[in-house]
Each structure stands twice: as structure tokens, then as C-alpha cells.
Amino acid sequence: MALIIPVIFIAVFIFAVIKKVNVYAAFTDGIQGALKFTVSLLPCLAAIFMMCALFETSGLSDGLTKLLSPVFGFLGIPPELTKLVLIKPFSGSGSLAYLNDIISKYGADSYTARCACVCFGSSETVFYISAVYFAGMKVKKLAAPIACVLIATLLSTVIACLVCRVM
């Protein structure tokens, strides 16, 4: 496994030499484009990080957790997972902390912890990924794609909890 990256690097280099490509110039052009793209992402990422911090410190996270716990319970999602489901679209590390708390509190083999693990692994940090992808493509209309992904995440969470209940 340790040789895969060096082998790929050497194979690309040999292919470039065969095709008579100036490897150094192509490499520096790629880096220059990547740096411009990275700098263009900074405002979007800063907005996402501030939104995550505001969501947690404003108390909105706790309020939504209390409000949505019965709804999630009705859908088959353990109410203990409400905060994890709410935080995951915003923050991977924040939701990992909640996952760790759930596993510590309920035990790794409990139904709640299994649901939490499956939900954590099958969902994504929607707002962070949207900021990265859509900022690079200069897309301004984000409401419809983000709504679709959030609905898909909720449906996958319901199905994941149903599967965990059956297994």
C-alpha cells in the first residue's frame, strides 16, 4: 500500500515525458490555479464557520433539538440523535463530538449508538461541502440543491434507524 502513491507519481511522470509535456510548467500552472481557487473559497468558508458557531452559541441548536425530538421520535429516529442530526449538516467535528457522547452514554452496542454511527457515516456536512463546490463553480442559487440534500439526509436517517431496528 505504501508504494501506490510513488508508483502513480512515477507513472504520470513517465507518461508526461512520453507525451513530451513540460512537467514542471504543468505542475506550477496547476498550483497557481489551485491557489486562486483556495483564496476564492475563504469568504464562503468563513461564513460557514461563523454560521456553525452562531447556531450553537445562540441557543438555536438547543431550541430546535427540543422542538424536533418528538417529530424525530415519530419518524423512528431516537430522540437522543436529534442534536447529532441537526449538527451534522453544519460541522463534521461537532457532530463527531456528539457521536462520541452518545457512544459513551449508551454504549457502543446499543440501538441508539448503532443508529448514531450509521447516521453519522451516511450523511455529510452539507453546508461546508456546498460552500466548497458551489463557490468554485460561482453558483448563487443554492436553496434548491441544499433543500434536496437535506431532505435526502433526513430520509436516509429514517431508513438507517429502521434498518438498525431490524438488524
Side-chain angles (χ1 to χ4, degrees):
M1 254 342 230
L3 295 176
I4 289 178
I5 300 296
V7 168
I8 291 173
F9 181 78
I10 292 168
V12 168
F13 185 77
I14 291 171
F15 182 75
V17 169
I18 291 170
K19 292 289 188 176
K20 296 182 174 45
V21 173
N22 184 345
V23 177
Y24 182 75
F27 181 74
T28 56
D29 288 345
I31 290 175
Q32 188 176 31
L35 286 175
K36 288 178 185 174
F37 176 68
T38 303
V39 169
S40 74
L41 287 179
L42 291 178
C44 297
L45 294 177
I48 293 299
F49 292 141
M50 287 190 308
M51 185 173 59
C52 291
L54 286 172
F55 183 68
E56 189 65 34
T57 57
S58 69
L60 185 59
S61 172
D62 292 331
L64 279 175
T65 299
K66 289 177 186 171
L67 182 70
L68 293 177
S69 286
V71 175
F72 282 4
F74 177 76
L75 293 173
I77 302 169
E80 301 85 5
L81 301 187
T82 304
K83 199 156 199 165
L84 174 70
V85 172
L86 288 176
I87 295 296
K88 180 64 178 186
F90 294 100
S91 170
S93 59
S95 58
L96 184 59
Y98 286 120
L99 176 64
N100 188 30
D101 289 344
I102 290 168
I103 291 171
S104 297
K105 186 174 182 180
Y106 298 100
D109 291 334
S110 68
Y111 168 70
T112 303
R114 286 183 310 185
C115 284
C117 289
V118 173
C119 293
F120 178 83
S122 64
S123 60
E124 189 55 71
T125 52
V126 174
F127 293 101
Y128 176 79
I129 297 298
S130 297
V132 171
Y133 288 143
F134 291 127
M137 296 178 353
K138 307 287 188 233
V139 174
K140 300 295 181 197
K141 295 179 181 179
L142 300 176
I146 289 176
C148 288
V149 172
L150 290 175
I151 290 168
T153 299
L154 179 63
L155 289 175
S156 71
T157 301
V158 170
I159 292 169
C161 291
L162 176 66
V163 169
C164 286
R165 185 179 306 256
V166 172
M167 297 188 97

